[in-house]
């Protein structure tokens, strides 16, 4: 269905709370673990979608797809095992207020989980005669609506591509290929009407984290987010621009531990019959940042 | 996958061309039939999504869902036949540049088709290094991006509800129920991340057409559309407002034959696990037009 | 320079505080009078621009223009006296933290003041290295930026027209005239780059109040304001639309005492050499609400 | 009143026509001179505001302020002469469809003119019952509305500051000063409700041109402009960002001759009593580009 949960490692939970809570405007929805923070975005219903974990190294600890039916877990376990991956079982309750999960390490080195159940606490509006806007203060900071997608780096992305298309039945919306030898440099995958749910970029090392992206409602809100980023001296990677890939409007910045964040809005509506788009590296500037067609080295090289 | 094609009946093709082509900004993509016009919106890839047919009575002639795989047609035919509907076969080529279809009449009286293949002509940008914006003039008029959804009226909507949820596996995103006896007044169905792909509203008669909706990129474009609507004295049903249901921003207006059109932007992201929302008729003003909570009688009563 | 202060009469100060403070998002900046509330909008520097006064009848008590130099007061006094108006002196300090004023009753029956000095408390940002956005919470509610303009009603508007153009040297940006006898129905006056600072509309009675208008940054914020208006069941006069006159985007609603408020964004840039525009009453729908060209009787008839 | 006319030197008129006409969307309104192009923006009334002149060196040839009354010319001539500048007379008709002008060289080295009359051809809408939007195609390209302001560079900006404040009675809205010795680095001047009409930046040489700025309606249109800039490979100086100074949203790019252009939207409402803002060079990143607080060397150094 979607990337339902991402667990990032951060140096300091107080700094992380200020960044993800006060600045970005995520809502802290669960307390209890001394070394973890649990967040959801304003228009999400599940109790949490982002977990921050105290650590000495930044980066991604694991990510988890939510699937619709519990029975999907058996089906995926079977297919993944046949593909040659080792699948572990995580009992219900291991993660707070969440059902059982399966867990496995992708060829890219990333730890992935799948689960079907997590408690829902709503989006600040009732389900009967809900209205259109929650109480003031529920949407705050950068006014992010949802966790949108993640981009991960690895030296091995082609086997991930195979797993996500054949086992998870996702579509490739776009690919960036080398204009010299057609090597895939980046692969964008969607299982929804969004232009991407997850993407992989070729990197020298495995198990790297490029960014986590949060959805905004409009370019007005993107500029509002930029105003906050500037006000609080948040480290910026790329100021407002339009992606060629996905056609989304974007700002990239870093959390206090150096993990890259994105706020994102727009992008086209994708269906399984939407033609796949291909960019080659002769146009890497346009593919990444189409308002000036200028590649940013930091954007390509800096991962956690 | 989606509502891939809608066929509306109009009095006069020249007037319809001015309205849907010049004013709304749809692109006429196929010619050849003396009594029909074929249109696509700017960011659609299939050769046409709207067919206008010369007729003495306005309303909807048929609508068609596009499904991903041709093999789905057999599966749906079997399920629909078991449900008790009569399913016809339409050979490939009957509709221009389209594959075979199945056709049946819904309990609501509406003629529905399903097909898996239609030629694609793209969205004005190449699939290799596409860029982010087509040539000037490709997006024009009201700057509509896509056909978004349709709303149909009938005295029999509960069996449609059953067919769309059980056979087509769509989710009910929202329902409007009578606050007196809990009768369903309107049912909103989605098979995507949109808050609705199709909806049905209870009406005295069967086979009625309420509106066809086109997607816009922003509320700025909604106001731009309103400017054109006012400039060209297009008959307006409801000027800019926010729906309670779907949370989308909207303008309703009529084509020269009296068929209702909508331009629409926003609305939440829907997933199968998004809690279903229910509105009751004590809040019908807010459910329909939440900026003033005022029900519009014409909006409820006028169908073609 | 501008309409620097408006004093409205309201039934109940607690209700008014909830409406103008919490809902509209004005900032209460001065306390001390038991029967009055003092407000400024977020991007204004003067300590207050709106005064609410407890009363048994709604409407406007007075309005005041701020002029740049104290010496303007003598000049205006002389010209107004020559015109035949009686000008009173109000000593500095009569109004809190404000300099001396002159006061007179316009031919339309409205009480008007002029002053040159009022304390400034800033817009939530320093004047040295100010940044671009104040702390969260400073901009709240409907996110209004400034008091923009007022519209007043009277049976006598032509002599006001003469006073505002010849003595106050304002330009007529637009006029609405009767298409039958060319009587002026409404006169829009500007002394700035805004399409209007003050306007007068012909009404059976004198000294009437049509509306006070607050500036918003974008149509996104206009829709956000509409969401709050709907959420809190604020009485709406006209939901989102575009004015023909001024080309501004608008929502009209009422405070709990029945005084009409507007949130407004856009409108053209005006200069003294901008050609004056004229509308006639055959197009009164388009002149007032150009997205549907539909005149609203309540908009024309309901004043306080 | 405003910067009513700017004359830029360009290498090639055909390239310039493609850039300023097709891309930016200015309207070519006067023909007749072999070596010049005359343009206005869509919502301007005067027949032209931008003149492009074939030349071997880029840069600014002259700029002209429009004043309201012809009698202002004598007043300004007297004051400028007393200040020590040499004032020339340019007879009516020397510039096409324009009245007489006075001309003088500012201490900064820039040639400046003042005039009171130029023919008006309107903004694509009538002055009687104008409506709100011109015919399709009138607003095109980047959808610029007006010439907004210019920024000029010189080694001598303090005497310009004196002339513009004392003789032309403009306000200083903001200044950028050295945090070491308080030297003025940049001075922003306004005679309107805009945060600046003209600005001067300290540079090693005199008579330099930094940029000409065109007004857009919204940040949506700013992103649309960015899409066109990227599509047509227009050389970009700074992709979308927010200025600290003026709080406007901006993109900087270059015409084919290397003259810098800006598209601009937003910025606060200025009045003569708005407190002057000061930035120091310790915050030059934030003052110029507040979404990342990063100074751009090219922005500071590259002038024509």
């Amino acid at each position: 269905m979607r990337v339902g949960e991402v667990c990032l490692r951060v140096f300091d939970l107080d700094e992380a709370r200020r960044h993800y809570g006060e600045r970005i405007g995520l809502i802290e929805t669960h307390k209890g673990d001394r070394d973890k923070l649990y967040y959801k975005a304003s228009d999400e219903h599940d109790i949490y979608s982002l977990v921050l974990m105290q650590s000495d190294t930044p980066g991604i600890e694991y990510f988890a797809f939510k699937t619709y039916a519990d029975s999907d877990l058996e089906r995926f376990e079977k297919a993944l095992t046949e593909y040659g991956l080792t699948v572990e079982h995580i009992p219900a309750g291991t993660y707070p207020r969440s059902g059982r999960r399966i867990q496995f390490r992708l060829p890219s080195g990333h730890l992935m989980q799948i689960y079907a159940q997590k408690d829902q606490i709503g989006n600040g509006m009732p389900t009967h005669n809900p209205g259109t806007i929650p109480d003031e203060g529920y949407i705050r900071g950068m006014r992010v609506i949802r966790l949108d997608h993640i981009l991960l780096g690895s030296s091995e992305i082609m086997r991930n591509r195979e797993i996500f298309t054949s086992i998870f039945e996702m579509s490739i919306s776009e690919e960036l290929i080398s204009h010299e030898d057609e090597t895939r440099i980046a692969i964008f995958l969607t299982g929804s009407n969004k232009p991407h749910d997850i993407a992989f970029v070729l990197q020298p090392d495995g198990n790297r984290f490029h960014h986590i992206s949060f959805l905004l409602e409009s370019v007005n809100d993107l500029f509002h987010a930029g105003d906050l980023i500037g006000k609080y001296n948040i480290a910026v990677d790329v100021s407002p621009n339009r992606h060629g890939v996905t056609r989304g409007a974007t700002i990239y910045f870093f959390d206090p531990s150096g993990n890259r964040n994105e706020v994102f809005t727009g992008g086209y509506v994708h269906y399984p019959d939407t033609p796949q788009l291909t960019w080659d590296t002769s146009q890497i500037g346009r593919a990444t940042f189409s308002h000036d067609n200028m590649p940013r080295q930091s954007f390509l090289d800096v991962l956690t």
Side-chain angles (χ1 to χ4, degrees), chain A residues 61 88 126 138 145 153 156 165 167 169 209 234 274 288 303:
Chain A
E61 186 70 12
E88 292 174 82
Y138 196 84
I145 298 172
E156 171 53 275
T165 52
I167 298 179
E169 296 179 355
F209 174 70
I234 295 172
T274 302
T288 49
L303 289 86

Side-chain angles (χ1 to χ4, degrees), chain A residues 237-276:
Chain A
D237 189 23
V238 184
S239 49
N241 218 304
R242 168 95 66 196
H243 288 302
V245 172
T246 76
R247 303 204 315 248
T250 179
I251 302 176
Y252 284 107
F253 53 101
F254 295 102
D255 79 5
S257 305
N259 295 304
R260 189 184 280 100
N261 299 160
E262 181 185 34
V263 281
F264 178 92
T265 188
Y268 53 81
V269 178
H270 186 273
Y271 283 97
D273 67 337
T274 302
Q276 184 189 317

Side-chain angles (χ1 to χ4, degrees), chain A residues 34-166:
Chain A
R34 272 207 341 194
D35 64 338
K36 287 198 188 125
L37 300 174
Y38 296 85
Y39 285 105
K40 73 180 265 306
S42 60
D43 204 25
E44 293 173 338
H45 293 271
D46 286 4
I47 181 167
Y48 56 88
S49 58
L50 177 67
V51 182
L52 302 176
M53 185 179 129
Q54 204 283 322
S55 171
D56 293 337
T57 53
I60 188 164
E61 186 70 12
Y62 67 86
F63 70 95
F65 267 71
K66 189 174 188 188
T67 186
Y68 187 56
D70 190 75
S71 58
D72 294 336
L73 298 189
E74 269 94 51
R75 186 162 57 87
F76 288 133
E77 177 174 2
K78 186 162 175 294
L80 291 161
T81 306
E82 278 170 12
Y83 187 85
L85 301 189
T86 306
V87 177
E88 292 174 82
H89 291 191
I90 301 177
T94 307
Y95 292 89
R97 302 180 64 175
S98 169
R100 72 184 181 108
R101 303 182 176 194
I102 58 173
Q103 175 172 283
F104 45 93
R105 198 164 289 277
L106 289 166
S108 62
H110 298 93
L111 198 60
M112 177 171 171
Q113 301 175 352
I114 306 176
Y115 66 98
Q117 194 279 328
K118 195 190 286 181
D119 286 0
Q120 294 195 320
I121 61 166
N123 61 353
M125 294 182 278
T127 56
H128 187 80
N129 294 333
T132 63
I133 190 169
D135 288 347
E136 183 142 22
Y138 196 84
I139 298 170
R140 61 181 185 138
M142 297 188 200
R143 304 178 185 157
V144 300
I145 298 172
R146 304 189 62 89
L147 168 54
D148 192 81
H149 64 268
I150 51 174
L151 173 55
L152 305 175
S154 177
S155 54
E156 171 53 275
I157 63 173
M158 289 303 287
R159 285 203 291 151
N160 276 24
R161 181 181 188 273
E162 194 179 343
I163 290 166
F164 278 81
T165 52
S166 64

